[in-house]
Structure formats: C-alpha cells, structure tokens
Amino acid sequence: GENVEQHPSTLSVQEGDSAVIKCTYSDSASNYFPWYKQELGKRPQLIIDIRSNVGEKKDQRIAVTLNKTAKHFSLHITETQPEDSAVYFCAAWGSNYKLTFGKGTLLTVNP
Amino acid sequence: DSGVTQTPKHLITATGQRVTLRCSPRSGDLSVYWYQQSLDQGLQFLIQYYNGEERAKGNILERFSAQQFPDLHSELNLSSLELGDSALYFCASSVGARGWSGNTIYFGEGSWLTVV
C-alpha cells in the first residue's frame, strides 16, 4: 500500500521567514496530493492540493510543488505569521482508494 | 463549520465496553471516511464507504466495524475496548470516491474517546 513520509516532524521559524515541509510517497499511481492544516484541538482543514499532472500550484503565501519522477512533494509557506502555527499534514491518494497521511509537521512561528 | 457532524464529541468508557460513534456527512457527499488520531500518531485511515458500500479498508482492528446506511450516515462500532483505543476519531466526507481536486475531503470535529 501507499506509504507517505513527512519531514521534518517539527519546524520552528521566525515570523516573516519561509517554511518548507517535504513529503515522499511510494505508490507511483498516486494522483492527488492534498495538504491539511490542523490547529490544536481542531479538525484538519484543506489548505492546498495538487494533481499529478501539475508541477506547482500557488495560493497567496502557500505553494506546493510535485516531482512525480522522484515521488516527492513539498509545501512552501512564505512570510510566515504566528497564525500559521499548527500541525501540517501531507497526504497522497493512491491507486487503492486510500488517502494516506504523513505523520505531520508541527510548525511554530515565533513572533 | 465543515458540514460533517459527529456525535458524541466526548466519550469516556471502561475497558471491555463497546461504543458507537456516529457521523452525518455533508449534504450531497456520498463518501464517508473514518480516521483515528492518537497523541503521537498522525491520521490513521480506518475505512471508507461510498454510497453504502465499503470502498477501502485501512488498519482497522477486527474489534472495530463500520457501516454506512441508506441515508448515508455512518457509524463506527468499537468493541472490547482497550486503553490503547483512546484517541480522537474523525469522520470525513467527500462527493466522490477517488482522488481529484474537486473531491475535497472535509473532516468533522471528531469524537474524543477515552478508555479508562
């Protein structure tokens, strides 16, 4: 089945800096890669997603890149703000109908 | 508010007991997913239903079972509970069954289960 590895597990940045979270997946047939943000005690919420036929997608301060050949994708957050502090999960939708999540990255943005 | 409704929000029960978690998907969504989130774990996929039929199965224990009813709500049954089953159980829903940009998975607020 699909295996999604996510790094780093924790990330601390200063306000205004950029943050990058990287994920790799194992199922070469995976075709859809969403990213979720989960604040403490809250539900995960979709922040951006990318399909396998697209290399990059951007939404304001958030961007995601996908390298199908290397089977990895990354989340980039620019000009970080304290409200960006949360746990971020990458996920990959494999050929077996399963949406598999990485173990998450705790992002802390220090004012 | 995602539109996915889960009950109960919190539940405390003893080891060996059985509980049922209930989920109502967003209006129009045919797929329901169940995920388990423990303190040191990510989101572990348990099971997915699409329009009443089981579509995918993850690491769901034999003590756990689920179903999706004709009105599309779903229930997750957890039996012979152990301390290690204490976790946050999320239900999620989406329109379709496969991964594509229009098939966003929306999560409910979760059901906190504590087994004592």
Side-chain angles (χ1 to χ4, degrees), chain A residues 36 38 43 97-99, chain B residues 35 37 48 57 98 105:
Chain A
Y36 283 80
Q38 185 179 25
R43 61 186 173 89
Y97 290 96
K98 298 179 187 177
L99 183 62
Chain B
Y35 282 85
Q37 186 173 43
Q48 177 196 359
K57 212 167 188 175
R98 300 298 300 269
I105 292 183

Side-chain angles (χ1 to χ4, degrees), chain B residues 54-104:
Chain B
E54 182 183 306
R55 183 57 66 100
K57 212 167 188 175
N59 300 320
I60 187 167
L61 300 172
E62 284 192 13
R63 299 183 287 107
F64 296 0
S65 64
Q67 55 183 323
Q68 186 180 27
F69 295 88
D71 67 352
L72 301 177
H73 91 272
S74 178
E75 294 181 355
L76 178 66
N77 300 297
L78 315 173
S79 62
S80 303
L81 285 167
E82 302 175 358
L83 296 178
D85 297 328
S86 295
L88 180 56
Y89 291 85
F90 282 108
C91 172
S93 74
S94 68
V95 170
R98 300 298 300 269
W100 53 287
S101 293
N103 193 37
T104 301

Side-chain angles (χ1 to χ4, degrees), chain A residues 14-109:
Chain A
Q14 290 298 123
E15 183 177 357
D17 288 350
S18 295
V20 180
I21 302 170
K22 299 182 179 182
C23 290
T24 60
Y25 61 98
S26 60
D27 185 353
S28 57
S30 291
N31 62 355
Y32 173 61
F33 307 89
W35 285 85
Y36 283 80
K37 174 184 180 182
Q38 185 179 25
E39 297 176 358
L40 188 62
K42 302 272 185 76
R43 61 186 173 89
Q45 290 188 273
L46 179 74
I47 55 172
I48 195 167
D49 58 13
I50 191 167
R51 295 184 63 179
S52 59
N53 59 351
V54 175
E56 183 174 358
K57 184 177 179 180
K58 195 171 181 180
D59 182 6
Q60 299 183 339
R61 296 186 298 109
I62 294 174
V64 58
T65 59
L66 171 66
N67 184 327
K68 276 202 72 178
T69 304
K71 289 192 282 189
H72 69 70
F73 56 115
S74 301
L75 177 72
H76 305 254
I77 306 175
T78 59
E79 301 171 23
T80 54
Q81 301 166 4
E83 51 265 39
D84 294 329
S85 296
V87 177
Y88 290 81
F89 292 97
C90 63
W93 203 308
S95 55
N96 54 6
Y97 290 96
K98 298 179 187 177
L99 183 62
T100 302
F101 284 81
K103 290 197 178 298
T105 296
L106 173 61
L107 172 64
T108 303
V109 180

